[in-house]
Every structure is written in structure tokens, then in C-alpha cells.
């Protein structure tokens, strides 16, 4: 007969106390990381695309009326804007009328019109017009279309580039066109601290999930975002859903629909491709990279980034922000390590040049990292774990726009040390630059009221004020 292996009550109490002590230690602010997996559990519902006859996809009235109007920065410094739109029936006019007085658009610029085919789909007439020599920090009104279908919008140019210029960016990724996508955009628009420019981290329409990549869903997406993107610039990053590579239906030109529809000012930063480029805006220097273009040594993207980073003058633009689609640090069991090869190539540069923050998407959830790096590994030394590094960026995954593929809910357990906060909910974020030393960052989940911050952190600039901002400190001090 076996003896049962019971422990005495006294020993049980000792074990419980020891465990409690370990838990308390782990939750103390200070040297050790204490990553947080949010206790908030979102009701698990499949995100469903809005039907074609949804009001948010409404075609503007009138023959050949311009639709899918959106703007982006058109040069390095923010004194130019690219206005893009589609006319469905005939080319029409590529003219943009603009001015600082709503009823007196005395200036004009002429753009170009293009069209593309994708399998059995033929696009509308896609117009792109760059308006230049604008004044800083000024409201401009602009109009596209002709006669009775003239449509008017407005935007505000950024303040002049400078080190202490406050500016607020919104962050949205992997948006798609589901009911949840609509919630995300609405929450962004109604956030009392709404950004002045959207940094979009890739995966736009998800049209490629439809049969033959039905490009009609690119058009609906363009109409969906117009309510925001016609009034403030969206800075574009390409994701995997922009590749649209489908040799089975004869479509072998990667990024074809994306490149026709979303022009960016890549030549202004010396880039040779629309998929990687940089802009300056207020006090920020924003570098956009392509996770799905060659980035190995000697490739165009590598050569460009190698020459680009030394150009960043932190006395002019203190905040160095990088956008990419596939995250380097991600502790969800989705797309795990897909960003690894790019990390191996570029992470030493990011640490050397003290990038403040890297925003990525791809994983349909939210996560914020500690400041960590993983650059010591050289195959033979075995040093292959991320370590705290105050010269390293914070990595934020914001692929939680709400697309039809649903949420990534399955996480690596236990939470790795490099992960500071993670939650599987849809939402958006705000990066609010105050001056050269401080920026306030917040993440907003769709389930909350518009002003609620589900995650937050004070960033201190890595060049001007590189103090430690451990998440434990942040979580304890701000609550
Ligand atoms: Fe993606």
C-alpha cells in the first residue's frame, strides 16, 4: 500500500508565503521587469466586413463625382501635400483648387491621372496632385471635381520643423473595413486628444481576402477612410495585404493596387521606391520601412537606410520614429519572429542612432515593449536574449485596427521580460509630443469611452533626456 504524499499545514503555509513574496518582488518597480498582460477580456466576436451598401461606403452624388479623397505629406518638411482621389466614370479634371479662404480658392495645381487593371477589374481614374509652397501652421481649403460635383475639404499644415514644436500623431494599423474598423476610426476621430496626422503602420483594405483580390474593396476602403484622410494626412506604410501578388490569376507585380492608389513623397528623401522613405513633421523625423521588400545588405532599402540615419539631426527633429509592418518584438503566437531577419539587419543601427519608438502592426492586438535590445548574439556566443537597453527604442505593436481576420488572442506564456503591456483588443494610439524631452503616449481600446486610456506612458527623448522609463515605474506612478 502506497503512502499518500501529503504535506503538513505548516509547510503549506511556508510555501504559500514564499510564493507570495516572489509575486510581490516581481511586481515591485525598479530593476526587474514586470510585464503586464491586461485583465481586460474583450467579448470574442468575429470581425465582419461591412456590406457594400453600408453608409460609410456611400458614393458621393453626381456624375463622376470625386471619391476616395485622401491626403498625405508631399515633401520632406511639410510644405507640400499630395491630394489623391478617384473619378469613376471618366478622367475629368486633375486640378486642385485651394486657398486659405474657404470661399475664395485662388490657387490651383494640376495633377496627373492614372488607371490600372487587376485581373478582371479596371480601376477608376486615380488622380494625384501635389500642392507645394504652402505656409506652415495654416488652414487650407481645397476642392476637387468640376461644376456641380465640386467637393470641398480642408487641412492644416504642420508648424515649422523645430526641436520644441508640440505635435500629436494618431496611430492606426491593420484597419480593414469591418464594423470594428469603423469603431476604431470613430474612436480616433472622437478622441479628445485626437492626432493631427495619422501614422498608419500597414495593411489597409484587406481586399486581397476576397475572391481574385476583388479590388472593389479597395474602392470601398478609400470611401470609408475619406471622412478622416481627406482632412488630415495619413502617412502610409505597406503591409503584407498590400502585396497583392497572385500569379495564379496572372498578377505578378507586387504592390500594384497600393502603389497606384497611395502616392508618398519618397523621392524627396532620396529613396528609389515608394515603399521606404522619410519625412520630417514638426519635431519628429519619421522613417517608414518595408517589411516586404528586400532589406539585406547591399539592397536598395539597406543602402538608403544606411545613408538616411546619419542625416537625422536631433537638434532639429528630436523625435526619431520608425514605422514598419511586421514587429520585431511580439509575444503573441501570431506572426511570431516574422520580423526577425529584419531585426538582425537593422537593430544595431536603431540602438546606435537612438530611435525613440518603433511602431508596427501585423499582429492583430496591442503590445508595448520595454526598452530592450538583442544585438550581442553572434552565432557562437549564445547571447541570444533581449536585454534592457536605454539606447533602444520602445517597440509598439498597434495592429489592432479591427480588420475582418479578427483578434490575435493567443499569447506566449509566461509573458516574456521584454513585453511591458499586452492586450488583445481593437483600438488606436496617440503619440503626443510636448517638447524635445517629453512625449505622452496613450492607447485607447474601442470598448471604452473616447477619453479613456487603457495604456499610457511618458516617453523621454533618447537624445535629449534619456531617463529610464520602466513600465513598472510608469504603471505605478501614473495611476
Ligand atoms: Fe499584416
Amino acid at each position: 500500500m502506497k503512502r499518500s504524499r501529503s504535506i503538513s499545514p505548516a509547510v503549506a503555509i511556508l510555501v504559500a508565503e514564499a510564493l507570495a513574496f516572489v509575486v510581490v518582488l516581481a511586481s515591485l518597480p525598479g530593476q526587474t521587469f514586470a510585464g503586464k498582460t491586461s485583465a481586460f477580456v474583450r467579448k470574442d466576436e468575429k470581425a465582419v466586413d461591412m456590406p457594400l451598401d453600408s453608409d460609410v461606403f456611400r458614393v458621393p452624388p453626381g456624375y463622376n463625382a470625386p471619391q476616395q479623397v485622401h491626403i498625405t505629406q508631399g515633401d520632406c518638411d511639410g510644405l507640400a501635400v499630395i491630394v489623391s482621389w478617384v473619378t469613376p466614370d471618366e478622367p475629368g479634371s486633375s486640378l486642385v483648387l485651394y486657398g486659405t479662404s474657404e470661399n475664395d480658392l485662388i490657387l490651383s495645381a494640376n495633377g496627373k491621372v492614372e488607371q490600372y487593371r487587376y485581373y478582371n477589374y479596371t480601376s477608376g481614374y486615380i488622380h494625384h496632385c501635389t500642392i507645394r509652397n504652402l505656409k506652415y501652421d495654416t488652414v487650407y481649403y481645397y476642392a476637387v471635381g468640376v461644376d456641380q460635383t465640386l467637393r470641398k475639404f480642408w487641412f492644416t499644415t504642420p508648424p515649422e520643423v523645430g526641436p520644441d514644436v508640440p505635435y500629436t500623431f494618431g496611430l492606426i494599423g491593420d484597419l480593414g473595413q469591418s464594423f470594428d474598423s469603423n469603431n476604431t476610426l470613430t474612436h480616433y476621430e472622437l478622441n479628445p486628444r485626437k492626432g493631427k496626422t495619422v501614422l498608419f503602420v500597414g495593411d489597409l483594405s484587406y481586399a486581397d481576402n476576397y475572391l481574385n483580390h476583388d479590388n472593389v474593396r479597395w474602392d470601398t476602403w478609400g470611401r470609408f477612410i475619406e471622412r478622416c484622410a481627406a482632412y488630415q494626412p495619413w502617412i502610409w506604410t505597406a503591409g503584407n495585404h498590400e502585396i497583392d501578388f497572385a500569379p495564379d490569376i496572372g498578377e505578378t507585380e507586387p504592390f500594384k493596387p497600393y502603389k497606384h492608389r497611395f502616392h508618398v513623397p519618397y523621392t524627396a528623401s532620396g529613396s528609389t521606391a515608394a515603399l521606404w522613405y522619410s519625412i520630417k513633421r514638426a519635431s519628429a523625423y519619421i522613417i517608414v520601412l518595408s517589411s516586404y521588400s528586400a532589406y539585406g545588405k547591399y539592397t536598395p532599402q539597406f543602402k538608403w537606410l544606411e545613408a538616411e540615419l546619419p542625416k537625422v539631426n536631433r537638434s532639429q527633429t528630436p523625435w526619431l520614429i520608425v514605422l514598419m509592418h511586421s514587429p520585431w518584438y511580439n509575444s503573441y503566437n501570431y506572426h511570431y519572429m516574422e520580423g526577425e531577419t529584419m531585426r538582425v539587419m537593422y537593430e544595431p543601427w536603431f540602438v546606435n542612432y537612438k530611435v525613440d519608438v518603433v511602431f508596427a502592426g501585423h499582429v492583430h492586438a496591442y503590445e508595448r515593449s520595454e526598452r530592450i535590445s538583442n544585438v550581442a548574439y553572434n552565432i557562437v556566443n549564445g547571447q541570444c536574449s533581449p536585454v534592457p537597453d536605454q539606447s533602444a527604442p520602445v517597440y509598439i505593436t498597434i495592429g489592432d485596427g479591427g480588420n475582418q481576420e479578427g483578434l490575435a488572442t493567443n499569447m506566449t506564456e509566461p509573458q516574456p521580460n521584454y513585453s511591458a503591456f499586452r492586450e488583445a483588443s481593437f483600438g488606436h494610439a496617440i503619440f503626443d509630443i510636448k517638447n524635445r524631452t517629453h512625449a505622452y503616449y496613450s492607447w485607447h481600446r474601442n470598448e471604452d469611452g473616447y477619453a479613456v486610456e487603457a495604456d499610457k506612458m511618458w516617453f523621454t527623448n533618447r537624445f535629449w533626456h534619456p531617463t529610464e522609463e520602466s513600465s513598472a515605474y510608469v504603471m505605478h506612478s501614473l495611476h
Side-chain angles (χ1 to χ4, degrees), residues 430-477:
I430 301 286
F431 193 77
D432 187 1
I433 296 171
K434 304 293 188 188
N435 52 38
R436 77 180 67 195
T437 57
H438 285 77
Y440 186 67
Y441 166 80
S442 55
W443 174 66
H444 305 261
R445 70 166 82 84
N446 289 356
E447 278 75 11
D448 292 333
Y450 300 119
V452 176
E453 299 164 341
D455 183 32
K456 52 198 169 184
M457 170 174 169
W458 275 103
F459 276 72
T460 51
N461 188 271
R462 289 303 95 185
F463 183 86
W464 289 101
H465 192 58
T467 57
E468 189 165 349
E469 334 121 303
S470 93
S471 66
Y473 166 77
V474 171
M475 298 309 294
H476 284 79
S477 63

Side-chain angles (χ1 to χ4, degrees), residues 244-321:
D244 280 313
F245 177 71
D248 50 321
I249 54 172
E251 289 300 340
T252 55
E253 182 192 335
F255 302 104
K256 191 206 267 183
Y258 172 73
K259 287 209 274 194
H260 279 282
R261 291 169 183 272
F262 299 94
H263 280 197
V264 298
Y266 67 95
T267 54
S269 58
S271 168
T272 51
L275 301 165
W276 58 89
Y277 62 100
S278 70
I279 57 162
K280 289 184 270 190
R281 199 162 180 90
S283 46
Y285 200 104
I286 297 155
I287 292 178
V288 177
L289 296 179
S290 175
S291 300
Y292 305 99
S293 305
Y295 45 77
K297 198 159 184 177
Y298 314 122
T299 60
Q301 184 168 207
F302 180 99
K303 299 286 280 182
W304 176 81
L305 185 59
E306 184 180 38
E308 177 70 5
L309 285 165
K311 291 181 193 163
V312 181
N313 176 0
R314 304 293 274 272
S315 295
Q316 187 192 37
T317 49
W319 294 93
L320 179 51
I321 299 170

Side-chain angles (χ1 to χ4, degrees), residues 158-363:
E160 184 170 3
V161 171
D164 286 304
V165 182
Y167 202 74
T168 312
F169 294 98
L171 286 135
I172 301 177
D174 302 65
L175 184 57
Q177 47 193 299
S178 75
F179 291 97
D180 291 288
S181 321
N182 197 25
N183 280 341
T184 301
L185 189 55
T186 302
H187 270 248
Y188 172 62
E189 292 172 307
L190 296 179
N191 188 328
R193 290 175 44 246
K194 175 185 174 182
K196 295 168 181 162
T197 293
V198 169
L199 305 179
F200 192 89
V201 293
D203 281 0
L204 285 63
S205 74
Y206 288 74
D208 60 343
N209 280 351
Y210 285 83
L211 183 66
N212 299 323
H213 297 221
D214 186 359
N215 276 220
V216 166
R217 282 287 177 171
W218 272 111
D219 291 314
T220 53
W221 196 78
R223 296 198 292 271
F224 163 49
I225 62 154
E226 181 191 274
R227 72 183 199 230
C228 179
Y231 298 93
Q232 62 169 253
W234 285 38
I235 307 304
W236 300 110
T237 310
N240 53 302
H241 286 280
E242 280 66 73
I243 303 173
D244 280 313
F245 177 71
D248 50 321
I249 54 172
E251 289 300 340
T252 55
E253 182 192 335
F255 302 104
K256 191 206 267 183
Y258 172 73
K259 287 209 274 194
H260 279 282
R261 291 169 183 272
F262 299 94
H263 280 197
V264 298
Y266 67 95
T267 54
S269 58
S271 168
T272 51
L275 301 165
W276 58 89
Y277 62 100
S278 70
I279 57 162
K280 289 184 270 190
R281 199 162 180 90
S283 46
Y285 200 104
I286 297 155
I287 292 178
V288 177
L289 296 179
S290 175
S291 300
Y292 305 99
S293 305
Y295 45 77
K297 198 159 184 177
Y298 314 122
T299 60
Q301 184 168 207
F302 180 99
K303 299 286 280 182
W304 176 81
L305 185 59
E306 184 180 38
E308 177 70 5
L309 285 165
K311 291 181 193 163
V312 181
N313 176 0
R314 304 293 274 272
S315 295
Q316 187 192 37
T317 49
W319 294 93
L320 179 51
I321 299 170
V322 177
L323 312 181
M324 61 177 68
H325 186 62
S326 189
W328 292 356
Y329 289 99
N330 153 39
S331 73
Y332 288 82
N333 292 323
Y334 299 80
H335 305 302
Y336 188 60
M337 288 185 76
E338 283 182 20
E340 184 64 5
T341 47
M342 188 192 243
R343 183 192 68 74
V344 169
M345 292 308 301
Y346 295 158
E347 190 181 21
W349 291 351
F350 282 23
V351 175
N352 277 350
Y353 288 97
K354 296 183 165 56
V355 171
D356 288 292
V357 57
V358 176
F359 292 106
H362 202 36
V363 178

Side-chain angles (χ1 to χ4, degrees), residues 147-163:
D147 301 332
Q148 71 274 24
T149 62
L150 198 77
R151 298 187 65 209
K152 269 190 194 173
F153 307 88
W154 64 86
F155 60 80
T156 307
T157 51
E160 184 170 3
V161 171

